[in-house]
């Protein structure tokens, strides 16, 4: 069970009777307050519906008891997994039941017969990580695999990028167990048609008999009206009920039913052998139309996927730091479209043979690198697994990449999932572009070309009535064209609110009436997720929108410059609204984002949850002064300001910076606690505290003082505070090193200066040994040393931080004006000069400092690559284990650490795949955040450190990271500067290497 529980307010006397009853009778978490309900009011669609309550059940019995209570109280129930549905499937007015936190186990696994039974809340990537050790995987590989749950995938009949080979969720679901609205739990699986006439007393037999009879009655209509494309996921799967030679599988009726028929408790899945070998052919096209027309020919080579990447997605990807290297490696020239063709046969030689055939086929179709634009093209072969993985990550992030546009208009999902037969794909997309042009918009297009199912999103601003009307008109015209081509208007992401109202024109009146019969037979009281598939509202009912007609954000003064974004509060509104709820921040492994969610699994503690709360707060939906409220402080409490979302969120939601806005608003409204003052003003009182070092350090040695500090200040008694020292770092001179050496400024940050001067001494030693003229500038006012303002920012004291940065700019401006780089040791401090500085100042001096600010390793790696670095390094330990600081990862500054360490002879480098260390500045010292801090560290970092051999050198540049490692393992980690200095000492005693 996750350590941190969200605070449930349902026990309070002010809680609604429903919430109090749920809390009494259900063991899981129950929420009825506006902040928590608001976090569940949206999914990845453009809709918003506030639920009456939210339940996060601990067990299946909890979920079933919730269903019973809601039914008795006359409320609806909506099951929810990752909350990534594109069409509004997981939002409603009643009780939302989140199964993702606790109901996420593999219940049984049959490796020999390649099948397993899982709970509905298990995330696809988590399932596949557990299956991998057995050589198996579940291949319905949706792009949201890092957060999509199996229950949600079954509810939507998800398909994934490789459905050409593996089929849809329906094709890979063997059976289900589910509860009807009346609480009856039934198995749903294969059944012979005559079985319903036997064993009439068994539960569910009458239901099965009625459904099979409906299938027989409507068999002709189903054959005539159901589109004959694989990507048909609209309506109920009545075709699973028609007579055939094989048994009918009742589970297939529930797959794609979006939680409207039954509440799934178990899913039995068909598993497949892992893909062992694969190659990619990135087919380039100078014409989008020609790319679409070519698809029908490329699939004849039997790839397992053909995925489209259009010009818009390529352009946006180039502007996203984490994807830029991938595009540079895989994209040639200026294509209008790419088709990524994947071959994955067991025999790699066969894959290579087909890759060669792909190039030959492209040539046969008339494409070449030297042809005019319309026939320009060719194939970039990708054999290297690392680049294949990077391309896959980029394609999987397609939705979020498209949503990264910093403007009011965004690509909107409503005709996104239409699927047409491949021979019509080129004409369909061409005519669709014409529809968009007539309505004054343009589309983005990407994804599953091999299935004729492109994710097509026109750019619209749904805050404007004109654009909402355009959306309606586009939907009607596009769906009419899809019917003309005998395609499906719902090809992957389901119906929800967006497409359900169009079923009658798609399937006809008779089948829509049959859909209603199915719903009424399963759920006569319309308890389960009403308004989806049958009896749906209009898709353009603006009262259901995330931005309804009365949506407003009042203007207010912000601490930072948000002018890169549109909207009120100087663009802060637009920055907050960049979150599209797709939930990439809910991933559990890989990268850093979001460490607090990985520890707690609470929607409150994920970037998406915080962004939703901010949006609701600034738009007045959470009451007055919500931004500075206690509930907002609770929302932000476990954000460790790691900045991972700045890099890893494809839409660039920078929650670390948004948290500072919240802290600033709260400080202005409610003042500061003593702890906040001690943390924020540390750089200013540090010179005096150093003189009292022996006295102040008594706190760590006295249990009584620890307890007093915890009670009076809020520093956890379980944590040592950094030890003060009287021998703080003081520059030996204004500059050291050869007078004619290349110049560099060493920025001595507060933490290393007052707590770990050895790091600064080592850095000076290394830079001077490299022949550098190292400047150690004093502030122009001659007062205390320079400070980046980081501690003030962490307390919301933005004006104080600005004052510190003004001193930095005044001092460093003359150096950067002549091109001198500024080098720092503490990542969080140095990178403040590349990030927050530019949100507080936009002048040329600030920009030049940001451009010239480098971490110690970035500078050395740059100089080494240019052949300008000569260091007489000697061999030390045989292996180094590296933990990267979160801000290093956020700014892609971890690779230089590895590169610099490789300069040391015979040193093997291993980088720990970890999220945040959990210390995060002062976060790990807090009484109320200590447990979360340790849980974050125990996720990967501390176990890896304990596993490291005693003679392995541990490397961590972050002050906080080193302290966490020391506290958690009693082992010392070193800054790279000290490791290099040790290597210099060894080199001086050894012959040249």
């Amino acid at each position: 069970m996750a350590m941190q529980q969200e605070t449930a307010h349902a026990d309070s006397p002010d809680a609604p009777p429903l919430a109090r009853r749920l809390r009494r009778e259900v063991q899981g978490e129950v929420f009825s307050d506006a902040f928590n309900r608001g976090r569940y009011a949206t999914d990845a669609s453009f809709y918003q519906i506030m639920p009456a309550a939210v339940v996060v059940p601990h067990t299946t019995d909890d979920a079933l008891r919730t269903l019973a209570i809601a039914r008795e109280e006359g409320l609806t129930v909506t099951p929810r997994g990752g909350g990534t549905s594109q069409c509004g499937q997981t939002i409603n007015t009643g009780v939302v039941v989140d199964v993702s936190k606790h109901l996420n186990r593999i219940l049984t696994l049959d490796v020999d017969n390649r099948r397993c039974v899982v709970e509905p809340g298990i995330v696809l990537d988590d399932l596949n990580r557990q299956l991998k050790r057995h050589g198996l995987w579940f291949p319905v590989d949706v792009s949201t695999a890092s957060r999509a749950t199996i229950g949600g995938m079954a509810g939507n009949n998800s398909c994934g990028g490789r459905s050409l080979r593996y089929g849809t969720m329906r094709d890979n679901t063997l059976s289900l167990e589910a509860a009807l609205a009346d609480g009856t739990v039934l198995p749903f699986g294969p059944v012979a048609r005559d079985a319903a006439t036997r064993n009439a007393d068994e539960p569910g037999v009458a239901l099965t008999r009625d459904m099979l009879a409906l299938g027989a009655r409507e068999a002709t209509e189903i054959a005539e009206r159901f589109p004959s494309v694989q990507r048909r996921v609209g309506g109920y799967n009545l075709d699973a009920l028609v007579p055939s030679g094989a048994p009918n599988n009742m589970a297939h009726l529930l797959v794609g039913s979006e939680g409207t028929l039954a509440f799934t408790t178990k899913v039995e899945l068909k598993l497949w052998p892992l893909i062992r070998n694969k190659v990619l052919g990135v087919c380039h096209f100078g014409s989008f139309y020609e790319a679409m027309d070519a698809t029908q020919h490329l699939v004849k080579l039997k790839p397992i996927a053909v995925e489209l990447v259009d010009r818009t997605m390529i352009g946006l990807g180039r502007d996203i730091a984490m994807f830029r290297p991938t595009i540079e490696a895989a994209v040639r020239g200026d294509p209008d479209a790419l088709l990524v063709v994947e071959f994955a046969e067991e025999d790699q030689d066969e894959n290579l043979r087909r890759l060669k055939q792909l190039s030959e086929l492209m040539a046969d179709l008339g494409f070449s690198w030297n042809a005019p634009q319309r026939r320009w093209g060719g194939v970039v072969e990708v054999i290297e697994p690392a680049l294949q993985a990077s391309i896959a990550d980029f394609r999987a992030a397609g939705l979020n990449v498209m949503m990264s546009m910093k403007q009011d208009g965004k690509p909107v999902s409503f005709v996104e999932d239409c699927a047409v037969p491949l021979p019509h794909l080129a004409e369909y997309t061409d005519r669709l572009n014409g529809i968009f042009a007539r309505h004054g918009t343009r589309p983005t297009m990407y994804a599953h070309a091999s299935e004729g199912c492109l994710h097509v999103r026109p750019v619209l601003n749904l805050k404007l009535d004109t654009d909402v009307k355009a959306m309606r008109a586009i939907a009607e015209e596009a769906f009419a064209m899809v019917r003309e081509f005998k395609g499906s208007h719902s090809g992957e992401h389901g119906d929800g609110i967006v497409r359900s109202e169009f079923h009658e024109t798609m399937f006809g009146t008779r089948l829509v009436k049959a859909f209603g019969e199915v719903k009424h037979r399963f759920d006569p009281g319309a308890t389960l997720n009403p308004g989806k598939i049958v009896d749906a509202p209009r898709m353009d009912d603006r009262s259901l929108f995330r931005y309804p007609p009365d949506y407003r954000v009042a203007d207010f003064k912000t601490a930072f410059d948000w002018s890169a974004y549109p909207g009120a509060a100087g663009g802060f509104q637009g920055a907050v609204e960049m979150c599209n709820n797709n939930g990439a921040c809910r991933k559990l492994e890989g990268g850093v984002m979001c460490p607090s969610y990985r520890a707690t699994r609470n929607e409150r503690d994920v970037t998406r949850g915080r962004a939703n709360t901010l949006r609701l707060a600034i738009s007045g939906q959470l009451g007055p002064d919500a931004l500075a409220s206690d509930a907002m402080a609770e929302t932000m409490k476990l954000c460790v300001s790691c900045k991972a979302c700045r890099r890893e969120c494809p839409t660039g939601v920078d929650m670390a910076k948004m948290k500072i806005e919240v802290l600033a608003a709260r400080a202005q409204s409610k003042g500061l606690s003593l702890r906040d003052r001690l943390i924020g003003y540390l750089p200013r009182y540090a010179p005096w505290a150093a003189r009292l070092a022996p006295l102040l350090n008594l706190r760590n040695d006295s249990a009584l003082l620890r307890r007093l500090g915890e009670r009076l200040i809020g520093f956890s008694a379980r944590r040592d505070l950094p030890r003060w020292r009287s021998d703080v770092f003081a520059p030996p001179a204004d500059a050291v090193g050869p007078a004619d050496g290349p110049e560099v400024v060493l920025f001595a940050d507060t933490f290393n200066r007052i707590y770990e001067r050895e790091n600064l001494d080592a850095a000076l030693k290394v830079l001077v040994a490299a022949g550098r003229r190292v400047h150690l500038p004093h502030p122009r006012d001659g007062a205390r040393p320079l400070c980046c303002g980081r501690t003030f920012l962490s307390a919301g004291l933005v004006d104080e931080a600005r004052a510190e940065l003004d001193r930095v700019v005044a001092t460093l401006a003359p150096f950067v004006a002549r091109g001198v780089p500024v080098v720092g040791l503490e990542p969080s401090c140095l990178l403040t000069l590349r990030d927050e500085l530019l949100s507080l100042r936009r002048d040329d001096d600030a920009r030049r400092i940001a451009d010239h600010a480098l971490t110690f390793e970035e500078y050395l790696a740059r100089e080494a690559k240019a052949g300008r670095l000569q260091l007489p390094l000697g061999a030390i330990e045989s292996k180094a284990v590296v933990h990267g600081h979160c801000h290093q990862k956020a700014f892609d500054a971890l690779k230089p650490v590895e590169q610099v360490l490789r300069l040391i002879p015979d040193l093997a480098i291993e980088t720990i795949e970890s999220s945040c260390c959990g210390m995060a500045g002062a976060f790990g010292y807090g009484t109320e955040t200590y447990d979360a801090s340790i849980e974050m560290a125990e996720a990967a970092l501390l176990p890896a450190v304990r596993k490291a051999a005693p003679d392995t050198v541990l490397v961590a540049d972050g002050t906080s990271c080193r302290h966490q490692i020391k506290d958690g393992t009693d082992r010392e980690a070193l800054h790279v500067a000290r490791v290099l200095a040790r290597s210099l000492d060894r080199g001086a005693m050894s012959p040249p290497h």
Side-chain angles (χ1 to χ4, degrees), residues 224-275:
E224 292 178 356
R225 297 302 300 252
F226 270 41
S228 58
V229 292
Q230 185 195 49
R231 292 297 189 105
R232 196 277 307 156
V233 301
Y236 292 128
N237 291 326
L238 301 185
D239 55 332
L241 304 174
V242 301
S244 65
N248 295 92
N249 192 327
M250 288 293 291
H252 292 174
L253 178 62
L254 293 187
V255 172
S257 64
E258 301 184 354
T260 63
L261 301 182
F263 191 108
T264 300
T265 55
K266 296 177 184 177
V267 188
E268 184 183 19
L269 303 173
K270 176 183 178 182
L271 307 178
W272 294 71
L274 275 172
I275 292 176

Side-chain angles (χ1 to χ4, degrees), residues 399-456:
L399 168 61
N400 282 326
V401 170
M402 295 301 190
M403 297 298 286
S404 67
M405 298 177 179
K406 295 179 181 178
Q407 59 187 51
D408 284 323
K410 295 286 194 298
V412 179
S413 171
F414 61 101
V415 292
E416 170 174 27
D417 276 8
C418 299
V420 299
L422 282 183
H424 301 302
L425 185 59
E427 183 182 356
Y428 164 70
T429 53
D430 190 51
R431 288 172 56 182
L432 198 57
N433 277 321
I435 293 173
F436 295 142
R438 285 198 301 276
H439 292 283
T441 185
R442 66 191 190 282
T444 63
M445 297 189 186
Y446 66 101
H448 317 303
S450 53
E451 298 282 10
C453 179
L454 303 183
H455 293 335
V456 179

Side-chain angles (χ1 to χ4, degrees), residues 33-39 41-42 47-50 463 542-554 573 576-577 611-627 632:
D33 63 291
F35 276 72
N36 276 301
R37 289 187 296 119
R39 288 187 268 270
T42 48
Y47 297 106
Q48 175 176 297
I49 303 175
M50 190 70 78
K463 296 173 186 172
R542 293 189 67 191
S543 69
L544 303 178
F545 280 20
R546 193 182 303 184
Y547 307 118
D550 60 348
Y551 181 85
R552 298 288 186 277
V553 173
Q573 173 189 356
V576 170
E577 291 173 359
N612 271 323
T613 306
L614 282 171
R615 177 179 53 79
L616 293 167
I618 64 176
S619 59
Q621 298 179 68
L622 297 177
D625 301 321
L627 197 64
M632 182 62 77

Side-chain angles (χ1 to χ4, degrees), residues 302-345:
K302 297 185 178 179
I304 67 169
V306 180
E307 295 286 290
L308 166 68
V309 177
D310 78 348
R311 174 183 290 279
T312 302
M313 186 170 171
I314 296 169
L316 291 170
R318 284 195 173 109
D319 291 334
I320 299 174
M322 66 187 298
F323 296 129
R324 191 178 303 117
T326 301
I327 294 171
E328 290 173 352
V331 179
R332 179 173 172 179
D334 184 29
D336 205 35
L338 304 174
L339 290 177
V340 182
V341 183
E342 182 177 7
F343 300 105
E345 303 304 313

Side-chain angles (χ1 to χ4, degrees), residues 621-673:
Q621 298 179 68
L622 297 177
D625 301 321
L627 197 64
S629 67
D630 291 346
M632 182 62 77
E634 190 73 13
T635 299
M636 292 291 175
K637 182 173 73 176
L638 296 190
C639 173
V640 293
S641 300
C642 65
K643 299 192 181 185
C645 49
R646 181 187 185 277
R647 175 177 173 82
E648 295 177 29
C649 171
T651 60
V653 174
D654 190 343
M655 190 51 59
K657 197 174 292 183
M658 292 176 186
K659 180 180 180 180
I660 295 172
E661 291 286 358
V662 173
L663 293 171
R666 186 169 176 82
Q668 185 174 15
S669 173
K670 301 181 182 299
L672 293 176
S673 67

